[in-house]
């Protein structure tokens, strides 16, 4: 693990404390304290990234030393191979001389040549193994370097997105954690910006959680609209409902439990939300697709658009999360190929696909 040193754990704890302080201060209207805490949080996050980067450089130096040792052994083996080849050539010449002179040294030269040939084969095998090991070491080094810089880049973006979110939202209670199973901060920031831009009257979210609370605050800031969030697990729906109640968004946000049921589309079988839980939702201005989880089946989120297409408004947004995964990318491609009036919009932050649906023949202002 990258955050394994004592110093890194202390900095991570500082980030947590400063983040909580910033949220608490903003909730209490103490904006100067909140801004100061947010600034210190950013500094602590930068210190973590710098420390991780330093550890990565140390690992790179160790990798370079190991590669240098492997190269040295490789050079030594090549020298031995060259010497064995020279010995084999000399012994071959001795054989020729012995044959031509009829000398009794023929047998001795033959034995010596066989021995040199065996040694040469052993050395050449060793050279091949060292070449393969050197190639593996170079590949491992390049992969590790790419992974470390990827982690630093992604964590920096997430910190930036969180700071932007908390500058826009003053939560009444501590916010649920982002990332892992929940939407990450960049995805939440993208959803918040879309709500502020389009001001949808009805938002439907497939897959409840952290995003449910953030979307509730986004609609509150926009001054219009309601959110219906659906989850296939009753336990998760209960957690989301409790979070909504805690933050006081019950009037604008509804969480529904819709267990997965068999669904057939053409020649394909899916496990998808119980359609009766969505039957009354018409004129959906914004559809957020973050479920079902991919473990429930191949292209698990594909049915969202075919099933709910007739429930969308004449001009609607469809947002699919996790489009950094190949399965979600294929879902977007299938939607664009099969749904008339659907086109892709640019995305500034987050791993989401934003699609604009305009119903064919509809008059859109």
């Amino acid at each position: 693990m990258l955050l394994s040193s004592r110093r890194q754990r202390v900095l991570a704890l500082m980030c947590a404390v400063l983040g909580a302080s910033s949220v608490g201060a903003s909730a209490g209207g103490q904006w100067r304290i909140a801004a100061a805490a947010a600034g210190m949080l950013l500094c602590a996050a930068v210190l973590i990234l710098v420390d991780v980067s330093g550890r990565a450089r140390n690992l790179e130096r160790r990798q370079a030393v190991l590669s240098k040792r492997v190269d040295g052994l490789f050079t030594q083996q090549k020298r031995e191979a060259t010497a064995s080849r020279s010995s084999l050539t000399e012994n071959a010449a001795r054989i020729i001389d012995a044959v031509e002179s009829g000398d009794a040294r023929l047998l001795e030269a033959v034995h010596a040549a066989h021995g040199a040939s065996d040694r040469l084969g052993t050395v050449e095998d060793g050279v091949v193994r060292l070449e393969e090991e050197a190639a593996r070491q170079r590949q491992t080094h390049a992969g590790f370097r790419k992974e470390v810089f990827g982690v630093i880049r992604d964590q920096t973006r997430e910190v930036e997105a969180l700071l932007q979110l908390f500058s826009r939202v003053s939560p009444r209670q501590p916010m649920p954690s982002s990332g892992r199973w929940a939407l990450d901060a960049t995805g939440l920031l993208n959803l918040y910006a879309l709500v502020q831009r389009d001001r949808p009257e009805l938002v439907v979210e497939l897959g409840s959680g952290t995003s449910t609370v953030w979307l509730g605050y986004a609609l509150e800031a926009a001054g219009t609209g309601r959110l219906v969030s659906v989850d296939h697990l009753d336990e998760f729906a209960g957690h989301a409902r409790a979070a909504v109640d805690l933050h006081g968004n019950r009037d604008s946000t509804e969480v529904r439990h819709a267990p997965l049921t068999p669904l057939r589309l053409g020649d394909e079988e899916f496990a998808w939300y119980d359609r009766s839980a969505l039957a009354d939702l018409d004129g959906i201005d914004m559809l957020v697709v973050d479920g079902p989880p991919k473990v429930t089946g191949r292209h698990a989120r594909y049915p969202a658009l075919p099933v709910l297409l007739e429930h969308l408004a004449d001009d609607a947004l469809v947002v699919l999360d996790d489009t950094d995964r190949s399965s979600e990318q294929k879902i977007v491609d299938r939607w664009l190929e099969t749904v008339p009036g659907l086109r892709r919009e640019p995305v500034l932050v987050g791993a989401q696909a934003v699609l604009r649906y305009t119903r064919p023949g509809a008059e859109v202002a």
Side-chain angles (χ1 to χ4, degrees):
M1 297 295 291
L2 290 176
L3 294 178
S4 60
S5 70
R6 182 176 181 181
R7 177 172 50 192
Q8 291 165 359
R9 289 194 295 270
V10 170
L11 288 172
L13 180 60
M14 287 177 60
C15 284
V17 173
L18 290 170
S21 300
S22 177
V23 172
S26 62
Q30 298 176 338
W31 301 111
R32 292 184 178 179
I33 297 177
M40 294 174 67
L41 170 62
L42 181 58
C43 291
V46 170
L47 288 174
I48 291 177
L49 296 179
V50 170
D51 198 62
V52 170
S53 179
R55 184 166 178 254
R57 286 194 295 271
N58 289 334
L59 289 175
E60 287 181 7
R61 285 195 290 270
R62 295 177 186 176
Q63 196 79 14
V65 171
L66 180 58
S67 297
K68 187 174 181 180
R69 291 177 181 174
V70 170
D71 290 340
L73 290 173
F74 175 69
T75 302
Q76 181 181 350
Q77 291 281 30
K78 289 187 70 174
R79 290 197 191 101
E80 293 180 5
T82 301
S84 296
R85 289 192 185 95
S86 299
S87 176
L88 182 60
T89 302
E90 292 174 1
N91 283 312
R94 289 175 60 195
I95 291 173
I96 294 173
D97 291 342
V99 170
E100 290 177 349
S101 62
D103 197 281
R105 293 173 299 172
L106 175 61
L107 185 60
E108 178 186 351
V110 169
H111 285 308
H114 277 302
S117 179
D118 292 340
R119 289 194 300 275
L120 177 61
T122 301
V123 170
E124 288 180 337
D125 289 342
V127 169
V128 170
R129 288 194 296 271
L130 280 174
E131 287 177 335
E132 293 173 349
E133 180 61 25
R136 283 194 295 269
Q137 292 292 339
R138 286 191 291 270
Q139 184 177 3
T140 300
H141 174 74
F144 177 77
R145 181 184 179 88
K146 182 178 180 180
E147 181 181 356
V148 168
F149 281 101
V151 169
I152 294 174
R153 178 200 62 215
D154 293 343
Q155 291 303 315
T156 301
R157 291 175 179 173
E158 293 304 309
V159 170
E160 290 173 346
L162 275 175
L163 290 174
Q164 292 185 64
L165 281 168
F166 280 109
S167 69
R168 290 163 169 78
V169 177
S170 299
R172 290 177 283 272
Q173 296 292 337
M175 296 296 281
S177 299
S178 60
R180 200 177 179 189
W181 300 115
L183 262 69
D184 54 29
T186 51
L188 294 170
L189 179 60
N190 187 54
L191 290 180
Y192 190 94
L194 291 175
V195 170
Q196 294 301 299
R197 185 193 70 182
D198 286 25
R199 299 183 179 276
E201 290 296 326
L202 176 58
V203 179
V204 173
E205 178 190 34
L206 303 180
S208 65
T210 299
S211 54
T212 308
V213 178
W214 282 103
L215 282 169
Y217 276 111
L219 290 169
E220 181 181 296
T224 183
R226 60 186 278 255
L227 167 66
V228 176
S229 184
V230 175
D231 205 288
H232 71 288
L233 294 176
D234 190 33
E235 179 184 1
F236 279 33
H239 290 327
R241 200 174 292 115
V244 168
D245 291 344
L246 184 66
H247 284 267
N249 293 327
R250 186 187 304 178
D251 293 340
S252 61
T253 301
E254 178 187 359
V255 180
R256 299 182 180 181
H257 173 226
L260 299 183
T261 59
L263 173 67
R264 186 173 184 84
L265 294 176
D267 297 330
E268 296 179 273
E269 294 282 350
F270 297 93
W272 204 71
Y273 301 104
D274 183 356
R275 297 170 69 174
S276 64
L278 304 166
D280 63 320
L281 300 175
D282 288 314
I284 300 171
D285 299 299
M286 183 173 175
L287 175 63
V288 180
V289 185
D290 191 29
K294 66 177 183 177
V295 296
T296 60
R298 181 176 179 270
H299 294 174
R301 300 176 182 178
Y302 171 73
L305 203 50
V307 171
L308 295 176
L309 188 62
E310 295 303 317
H311 295 264
L312 295 181
D314 291 342
D315 182 44
L317 278 182
V318 179
V319 182
L320 177 64
D321 194 45
D322 298 318
T323 51
D324 52 343
R325 301 191 307 220
S326 61
S327 59
E328 270 64 25
Q329 293 171 11
K330 292 176 181 176
I331 290 173
V332 172
D333 292 339
R334 289 183 65 184
W335 285 348
L336 290 170
E337 291 171 1
T338 58
V339 179
L342 190 68
R343 65 185 185 277
R344 194 162 191 165
E345 291 193 348
V347 178
L348 294 179
V349 293
Q352 296 173 332
V354 178
L355 307 170
R356 172 73 63 179
Y357 172 69
T358 304
R359 193 177 305 280
E363 294 184 2
V364 178

